[in-house]
Amino acid sequence: MTHEEAEAAIAEELHAIAPEIALEDIDRSGVLREEFDIDSMDFLRLVTALGERFELAMPEADYPQMGSFDALVGYLKQKTA
Amino acid sequence: MSQYLMPSLGSDMAAGTLVEQTIAPGEAFQRGDVIAAVETQKGVIEVEVFEDGILDQWLVEPGTEVPVGTPLARLHQQGSKPEPPSNPPELPPETPPEIPPEPLPPDPSPPPEVPPEPEPEQPPDLPPEIQPPADQLTPSHRPERKVTATRPRITPAARRLASSRGIDLGALSPPPDKVLTRHDIENLGAVKTPPEDRRKPAPAADMRAAIAAAMSRSKREIPHYYLRHRVDLGAVDAFLADLNATRPPRERMLPGALFARAIALALSKYPEFNGHYTEEQFHPSKAVNLGVAIHIRSGGLVAPALFAIETKSAAEVMTDLTDLVARVRAGRFKARELTDATITLTSLGERGVDEVIGVIYPPQVAIVGIGTPRPTPMVKDGAVVSQLATTLTLAADHRVSDGHRGALFLRAVDSNLQEPETL
């Protein structure tokens, strides 16, 4: 998966969960849950959507690697490589 | 024949706007089916029918705001004979129904066997005896045929999915007898439009006014008392980490499901916190319909209910909770979910503060608060250790209970959380 594809997928799923937040307005290296104001249920919905889209397990143990938008992009690229 | 009235979705609601008719004239429905969507101060709410029957005619056009109690639609109850079509077809709302809606009049001829439906979402076919006599069957008296030509018949779940995918139902042309199901919509594939275009949240000022009205009434009428209790979450944390380690995301459980079950089990021993206080009297509820306070992104708060969680497993409660949060985020929940909660849970989640002390939502008599879990110094076996913990709070109604019982109730919730595998 290219960097752009990973970004587009995450942006689309985040938009479904937090439609009022524009990607241009957030700090991509900031804490994802703070930047998008998402709670644990929203985060689980995001992980569910991405995991099913790319057939990834995305275990809870890996959650620390998904802490920011940029980190999540990197995680998806690495796991689908 | 009976009428479906604009329901009251809370004591602060005087009127509502019919925004969607989800059952077409001539279409059969079952108890619990969503008949319409109504916009109130709390957002767009799906309202359900409470009996089986067939929809005869809509009396109010979508987009019309009407007072609570206004007839919205005319219904044939299952088993009752339809009236001959009236001429003109518009029944003036003030005309009383010819057959009293309750109790159901005895039917001289038993209804014919309806073969079991393979597709549960599909409404049963029109039983032959409900059809008007042949001599009255002029084209204008066969609304179900007319309607399918212009508006596809669709189950509520399918409608919701279509809406979430931005699919224009008017552009679909299913076969005349086909009821569109969720499966059909899924097969259409996704045509996404930006959600902002479709979201119609209630204006923030209206939502704030509704919250203000309910909370002012609570503070005016309910003599609250408050308790708090520190709870060790080590067992819950370890249990969930172990449970979720090998599960795909869709099957993972969040602490909220365990909190809900721990409260439900404790309420079986302390029923004075579960029910409604109406007409100067407490009416305990057998079912635990746990209202869950959910923050709305566009502003405000709702606390729709998870139903009968005393009968469900933690996994089932998690499924219900996921569904409820998704529907609240989409601005769609059911009337019963707003009116039938018997106690409320307000939880700050992972990014909050140590404790939340709630305001009781009338006519309920208690609200349980759960603060943000964090590592906390606790004494274990005489030594201070760092332990994941939270603060559990209770605000309860002194007209119904006292602090002594409230404390026992909170301790029971605590005990249940120490044995998460039993929840």
Side-chain angles (χ1 to χ4, degrees), chain A residues 10 32 43 58-79:
Chain A
I10 298 165
L32 186 76
F43 186 73
M58 301 187 78
E60 279 191 348
D62 288 355
Y63 283 3
Q65 299 174 48
M66 310 171 198
S68 70
F69 185 91
D70 283 345
L72 192 50
V73 170
Y75 180 83
L76 285 189
K77 280 165 64 186
Q78 177 207 334
K79 291 294 169 183

Side-chain angles (χ1 to χ4, degrees), chain A residues 33 36-37 52 58, chain B residues 244 250 252 297 350-351:
Chain A
R33 298 192 193 195
F36 284 88
D37 188 19
E52 293 183 355
M58 301 187 78
Chain B
N244 291 339
R250 190 174 286 281
R252 284 175 203 161
R297 298 192 72 93
E350 293 179 352
R351 296 189 300 123

Side-chain angles (χ1 to χ4, degrees), chain B residues 25 38 44 120 172 187 236 283 293 331 391:
Chain B
V38 169
V44 178
L172 303 179
N187 288 346
V236 164
H283 306 276
T391 302

